[in-house]
Structure formats: structure tokens, C-alpha cells
Amino acid sequence: MGAAGALCFAALMVVSGLVPRMSALDGESFSALWPAGGIPILWLLVRGARTVSVDSALLVAAAYAANLVAGADLGLAAVFAAANVVQTWVAVLLLRRWCPRLWGCGGQAPLDRPRSVAGLGAALVVAIAVGTGIGTAGALLLPDQVPGGFGTVDVALWFGRNLCAALIVLGFGLLLGQRITSPRPRPSARGEGGVIELTAALTFTVGMYALVFQFDDLPLTFPLLAASVWVGARFSTLVSASHSLVVGLVTMALTLNGTGPFAGVDDVALGYLLAQLYVSTIALTGLAIATGRDERVALADELRRTREAAVYEERMRAAVIGSMTEGVLVVDEAGDLLVQNEAAARALGMAAPLSAGTIAAIESTRLDGSEVTKDHQPSCRALAGEAVYDEQLLIRIDDGTERVLTISAIPLPRDEINARARALMLIRDTTSDHANREELSAFAGVVAHDLRNPLAAIDGWTEMIADELDAGALDAQLAQEFVSRVRSASRRMRELIRDLLAHATSSARDLDVGKVEIAALVREIAAGRHAEGQVSAEHAPAVLGDPVLIRQVLDNLIGNALKYVAPGEQAKVAVRGARTDARWVTIQVADNGIGIPEGDRDRIFEEFHRAHYREYEGSGLGLSIVRRIVNRHGGTISAMPNPEGQGSVFEFTLPAYDA
Ligand code: ADP
């Protein structure tokens, strides 16, 4: 403890000693006011002092001196000092144990809970009862040092003055200390009441006390309590404690002065006792009311914060669920739809918001076409407690198309209010993924087959060449024949690989659209194929498309038209285009070839499907590339017999350039 601290404590103790001296009853060694009941407790609490410390030593010395000053003999003063010291330490230790969250007792909180007031009151009552016990025992053991004897009233007076002082000093001191040391900004010191109301309450207090202490022959003390209730109910706990402090001091001072209702009691000591009881009551009442209000306000605040947090969380949840690309549904066992997002409606091909009924009406099957019974549906299984991950189902939607959905269904904790099982469903439309996968596996199978065939041919022919060489009888003409077959097999492989690459890029390449003049492009392609005389290009409106991909379309179609002609016949190809509506240009590639059997007209656009695979070479990929490119531009393509006679017409649409 620094010198300033020691000086301060000493000064406080002197006051603690002088006040009792001034307030000693005539002919008695006991005093009516005893600040030493509260000040040392507050001091040790605030200093966080330990039992063996300089503070403790000073306390012992000051308590002894204060008792001597208050008029006790040496022996009695020692006993009373011991009682004071024990009482002080019991109070400090109990407060630290019972009110650990309070500022000064180990925590940072102000005195703002009735529970804390109860803890404070209980700790002080127990400690002061211990002190009173020791003091009484000492007075009984040293009867000659107690002139007037030590009766029940003296015991009660000892207890009362200590409790009164401790309640007032600690209530006020702990609140003030907390407020001064708490970080800014601090809450309003006034509480709910405004300045005008505070002035009114103080005027009321002064008026009431003046009235009561003036007409002390009337039993008028009860209106005084109203002042404490008013201040406690409407102003901060600190204001209420300050009010109690001032009112308590004034009451005791006036009573000591022989004024007021308590001084009117015949037995002076009993009057003091009543006054102390009164002051303790108003201090406790004020604190209880103010802290009760503080607690209510804190709870209301917490409720408001919780509500705000709930609203924020709800908004946040809605935003997160709404922004998800995956469909989210929460269903319960009664069939109610508790949560949904737009992606769920999109995946199911329905309009948002969904209703429980529309979802129940969806027909679904497994991918192999087998039926899914109600009990086996992902939602039912999740409601029964099973977690289902990535189950693929086929659903038929209103426009007649089918979709592949990948669904996960996870059981959620039971709804406690309705005691219903709930399940979270996550839905993804994986139709195109599924189609891609199917396509890929078909593709891989055919590619493996079509590449293996020419490779086997190459193997076979080269082996024969080696055998003939070994036999030493390789005839030059035979060798030429073998080599030409190897060459043709390797050319087939090269063409297949080229088509495969074109097929892959036709879907992977980003569209880079611009103006494309069809007639000019057709002339270029015909020139590239040295078939200018066979290909005619009429004027056609410009289209909006990716020039590289559109060249591929026309090249494939013109190539087929030149290829699929009867042997010995001269191929004739006509390309024409016309605006069919405001947005689209329809282009026709007509030939005089062998035509397409009716049953193959749609299927020739599928990968590897060939209508004339025996007589003509090819990979069966060209038209699938063509359809994919046309579709990517938003157009469609079909094949039909040539109305002008033999041959076929391939007709497709592309966006008009100036649409
Ligand atoms: P490829 O020509 O490599 O066989 P395509 O995908 O280009 O593959 O064509 C698929 C099939 O469609 C061909 O095998 C052929 O049977 C048929 N076909 C395509 N174009 C014509 C055409 N102009 N006339 C007759 N048949 C055609």
C-alpha cells in the first residue's frame, strides 16, 4: 500500500473513530453511529486485500484506536477491536464468495440484481452477527469495564448500528466505485426519470422529512418510505443508494439531535435502535426496488436483442437458402413444407412457391425404370431416420419431358413443439450430367470398337507382309496390295480421330458469334473440295453465328451430299437460304444422292449411327456434330426426301444477323 493509501485509510479510520465519539450516548461507552461497521469492509474489498497484509494490520490498529476513542477501557477496547476485525474479515470473505460478479468482490458488475442485494444483506447479517457475538461475550467477561451493564438493547444496538452503517456504506460505495471505474460510455446515472422528476422526488423527500421531523408527536414515519420507493422505482440504483445515504445520515443526525419521531421514544437507546432499523429498511428497500427494476430492464434488453438476432438470423437464412443453386426443402411427417427455395421449384420444373400437395403428386421412378414405392422415397426414408445421399430418380414433369434428379435427404432433429419428424431434402437437376455421362460411355464404347477394327486390320496385314518376307517369296504386286490395305486402315483411323476431335470441340468451344455470309462460305467450301461445278449457292440472308462452327456444319453437309450418290452418278448440291420469320434464317442443302431410308431420318443425327455403312466409308459422327452446333446456336435440323426427285434435303435454322 502506498503512502497516500495508508494516509487515506488512517483518515477514514479517524473519522470512523470521531463519529462514534460524537454520537456516544450519555453515560454510555457505546455510540449510535458506527461507520467502522462499513468503511473497513469497503476498503478491504476495493483494495482486494489479503487476510495477512498491511491493510489488515492497519485495520487492527485503527479498530483498537477507534474503540479507545469511543470511550472503551483498554481491555474492553481490545475485545471490541477483535470483534470489529473478525466481523470485517468475515464480511469481506463472504461477499467475495457469495457475490463474485460484483465490482469490488471479484467481478465487474454493478449492484443491479436483487440476488446480489440478497447476497450483500446475508453476508453482512452473518458477519455482523459474528462480531456482535464476540463483542457481547467480551462485555459479559469484563463486566466491571461496562459501567451500565450490557443488556439486550445494547446487543441489538451493536448489531443495528453496524448493519445500518455497512448497508449504507457498501451499497453506495460499491455502486459509486463501479461507475467511476467502468469504461465509457456509461449508462445514464439518472435512470428512467428525468431531471424534473428527480427534482420533484427530492422536493417530496425534503418536504416529507421536514413534515415528519417537525410534527414528531404524530406517528408519521410511513410517508418517508414512499420517497425511497419513488426514487428506487424511477431512478438508477446509484441515485437510490445516494438517496438512502443522505436520508439515513439526516435521520440519524436529527435523531441524535433529539429531533423527530425516533428521538421521541422514552428510552433513548431504543429510539436509536429504531432509527437504525428504519435506515437499514429504507436502504434495503431502495436497493431491492432499484435492482429489481434494473433486472427487468436488463431482461427486456436481452429479449429485444434476442428478437433482433432471431430476425437477423431468419433473414440471413432466407438469403443463404434463396441464393443456393441446389434445391432445398424441409418437410415434416405431416406433409407440411417448412422451408423451400426457388431452386427447388426450378429443379422440379414447377412454379414457385411449391405446395406440399404438388410435391406429393410427383411421379418418380429409378433410372432403370423400376417403380419407387412410397416407403422408399428419399423423403420418407429420411423422416424414418435414415440419411439418404445422392439418390438418382427420374421424374416426369408437366411439359412431358423427363428429368434426372439427384436427391439427398437428411433427418433433422424432431420439431419439439409438434413432436413431428422433419427432413432436409437437397435436390439437383442432373439431367444434362446424366446425359453427358451416358453419351460418354456410349462414345467410349464405340470409339474403342471403331479404332480397334482398323488397328486389327493393320496388325493382320503387316503380319502377313512379315510372313511373306520370312518365306522369301514376297511378290511385288502382293506387297503393294497389302500396303494399300494398311494405308486405307490407317486413313480410316485418322479420319475417325479427326471427327472425334471435331465432335469434342463442337460442344466445348465457346461460341464467338459474328456475321456469317452463307453463300460466300459455301463457295469457299466447294472450292476447297474442288467441286465448284457441282455445288451451287443461291443468295441467302446473313446469319449470326460462330464462323468456324458454321463452316463445319456446311462442310459436313456438303461433304455428305457429294459422298452419298449412286456409283457413276454426278453429284449435284444446291444450298439456299431464306428468312422464315423475323428472327430466323432457314438453310437447305439439297442433293440428288441415294436418299435416306425413312426409319433412319432422325437417327442419323445420333453419334455413330450410319444408314449406309456397308457401301460408304465414314465415322457416323458428322451429322451429330452438325446437330450439336445448330442446337448451340438455338436452331434445329432435320432431313427429308428431296421433293424435286431423288436425293435428300437437310434443312436447318440459324439466327438472322440483323434480327
Ligand atoms: P458418316 O457420313 O461419317 O457416316 P454422318 O453422321 O455424316 O456420318 O452421317 C450419318 C449417316 O447419315 C451416314 O452414314 C449416311 O448413312 C447418312 N447420310 C448423311 N448424309 C446423307 C446424304 N446426303 N444422303 C444420304 N444419306 C446420308
Side-chain angles (χ1 to χ4, degrees), residues 296-316:
R296 230 176 28 251
V297 170
L299 284 177
D301 263 5
E302 200 177 308
L303 191 69
R304 187 177 44 76
R305 273 199 302 277
T306 313
R307 273 212 199 114
E308 279 170 8
V311 169
Y312 173 75
E313 264 168 33
E314 172 56 36
R315 280 209 199 119
M316 177 95 156

Side-chain angles (χ1 to χ4, degrees), residues 441-454:
S441 65
F443 192 71
V446 179
V447 167
H449 175 260
D450 282 23
L451 279 177
R452 215 179 280 143
N453 277 349

Side-chain angles (χ1 to χ4, degrees), residues 580-648:
T580 30
D581 67 32
R583 291 188 52 220
W584 298 97
V585 172
T586 301
I587 298 158
Q588 290 185 334
V589 179
D591 64 43
N592 61 338
I594 54 174
I596 306 156
E598 199 182 334
D600 287 313
R601 270 183 214 136
D602 289 334
R603 299 201 59 204
I604 50 172
F605 294 101
E606 290 171 12
E607 279 85 1
F608 304 108
H609 186 86
R610 308 196 63 226
H612 311 94
Y613 54 91
R614 270 188 235 281
E615 311 89 336
Y616 299 86
E617 272 192 4
S619 66
L621 282 170
L623 288 181
S624 70
I625 296 170
V626 166
R627 182 175 64 174
R628 192 175 281 195
I629 294 173
V630 170
N631 288 166
R632 284 190 69 195
H633 282 82
T636 55
I637 182 164
S638 57
M640 59 198 82
N642 194 339
E644 291 168 11
Q646 66 176 36
S648 337

